[in-house]
C-alpha cells in the first residue's frame, strides 16, 4: 500500500473515533434536555462512527499495514440551543466527506485500486450521512418550534436502531 494512503487511513481512524465522541457529546446534550429520542439517534450515530473506524482499522491490518492510533480530542462545540448539535453535525459530516475525498484522491494518484474500491463505500456513506444531517435540520425547523411537533419528532428518533455496516474488505 502506498505510504501516504496508509498514513491518511490511519489518521481517518482517529477522525472516526472523534466523530463518535462528538456524537456522544450531542447525545449527552439532548439527554440533559429530556429528549431521549434525539439522544438515541446520536448514540446510534456514535456506534456507526466507531464501526467506520474499525473498518479502516481492519482494512489496514488486512493489507499488512501498521495501525497507529492517534489522540482523540475532546469535543469543543458550544451547544446552547436544540438546533446547535444538528447544525454542528452537518458541518462535521461535510468535514469528514472532505477527509474521505482526500484519501480517495491520494489512492487514485497512487493507482491503489483496491483502496479506491473500499473508499467507494465510504463516499456513498458520506452522501447518506450529509443527507441525514440535513434532513434532521429541516425537520427541526419545521416541527421543533411546536411542543407537539417536537414530541412527535423525538418519538420518531427514538425508534432508530444500530445496523452494522455491510462492507467486505
Amino acid at each position: 500500500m502506498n505510504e501516504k494512503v496508509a498514513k491518511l487511513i490511519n489518521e481517518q481512524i482517529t477522525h472516526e473515533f472523534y466523530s463518535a465522541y462528538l456524537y456522544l457529546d450531542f447525545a449527552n446534550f439532548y439527554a440533559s434536555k429530556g429528549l431521549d429520542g434525539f439522544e438515541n439517534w446520536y448514540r446510534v450515530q456514535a456506534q456507526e462512527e466507531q464501526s467506520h473506524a474499525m473498518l479502516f482499522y481492519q482494512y489496514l491490518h488486512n493489507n499488512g499495514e501498521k495501525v497507529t492510533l492517534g489522540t482523540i480530542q475532546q469535543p469543543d462545540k458550544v451547544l446552547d440551543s436544540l438546533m446547535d448539535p444538528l447544525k454542528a453535525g452537518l458541518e462535521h459530516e461535510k468535514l469528514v466527506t472532505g477527509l474521505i475525498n482526500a484519501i480517495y484522491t491520494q489512492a487514485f494518484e497512487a493507482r491503489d485500486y483496491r483502496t479506491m474500491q473500499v473508499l467507494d463505500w465510504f463516499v456513498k456513506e458520506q452522501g447518506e450521512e450529509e443527507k441525514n444531517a440535513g434532513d434532521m435540520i429541516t425537520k427541526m425547523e419545521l416541527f421543533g418550534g411546536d411542543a407537539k411537533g417536537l414530541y412527535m419528532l423525538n418519538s420518531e428518533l427514538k425508534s432508530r436502531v444500530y445496523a452494522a455496516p455491510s462492507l467486505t474488505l
Side-chain angles (χ1 to χ4, degrees):
M1 180 180 290
N2 176 277
E3 187 177 318
K4 290 179 183 177
V5 172
K7 180 180 183 292
L8 288 172
I9 292 174
N10 263 304
E11 290 170 0
Q12 190 62 32
I13 291 169
T14 304
H15 290 301
E16 296 292 341
F17 279 126
Y18 172 79
S19 297
Y21 268 41
L22 181 66
Y23 292 141
L24 285 175
D25 194 44
F26 293 175
N28 190 44
F29 171 79
Y30 284 120
S32 74
K33 303 297 182 192
L35 293 169
D36 56 349
F38 284 82
E39 174 194 10
N40 176 65
W41 199 92
Y42 277 109
R43 275 190 294 113
V44 171
Q45 193 64 28
Q47 287 179 288
E48 278 193 13
E49 302 305 337
Q50 290 172 335
S51 293
H52 296 166
M54 294 308 297
L55 286 169
F56 282 120
Y57 172 94
Q58 190 61 52
Y59 182 70
L60 287 177
H61 275 287
N62 288 354
N63 286 279
E65 294 293 330
K66 181 180 180 191
V67 173
T68 305
L69 300 174
T71 302
I72 302 169
Q73 300 298 313
Q74 180 177 358
D76 62 356
K77 298 290 182 190
V78 176
L79 307 174
D80 293 319
S81 75
L82 297 180
M83 185 65 87
D84 287 345
L86 304 178
K87 288 184 176 179
L90 177 58
E91 174 187 316
H92 183 72
E93 288 302 338
K94 287 179 179 180
L95 171 72
V96 173
T97 297
L99 295 170
I100 297 292
N101 289 344
I103 301 169
Y104 200 103
T105 298
Q106 190 62 52
F108 178 79
E109 290 174 4
R111 294 186 174 172
D112 184 346
Y113 302 112
R114 183 176 14 186
T115 298
M116 289 167 55
Q117 184 178 28
V118 168
L119 290 171
D120 284 340
W121 183 88
F122 284 97
V123 169
K124 181 177 181 275
E125 176 70 9
Q126 280 309 120
E128 292 173 10
E129 297 286 11
E130 285 187 31
K131 181 183 182 328
N132 288 341
D135 288 350
M136 292 279 286
I137 291 169
T138 299
K139 288 178 181 183
M140 182 61 95
E141 288 172 344
L142 289 171
F143 310 116
D146 171 68
K148 289 180 185 176
L150 182 60
Y151 175 81
M152 294 299 290
L153 182 54
N154 187 64
S155 296
E156 174 188 323
L157 297 177
K158 201 182 304 188
S159 67
R160 184 179 188 204
V161 295
Y162 173 71
S166 58
L167 173 63
T168 305
L169 303 174

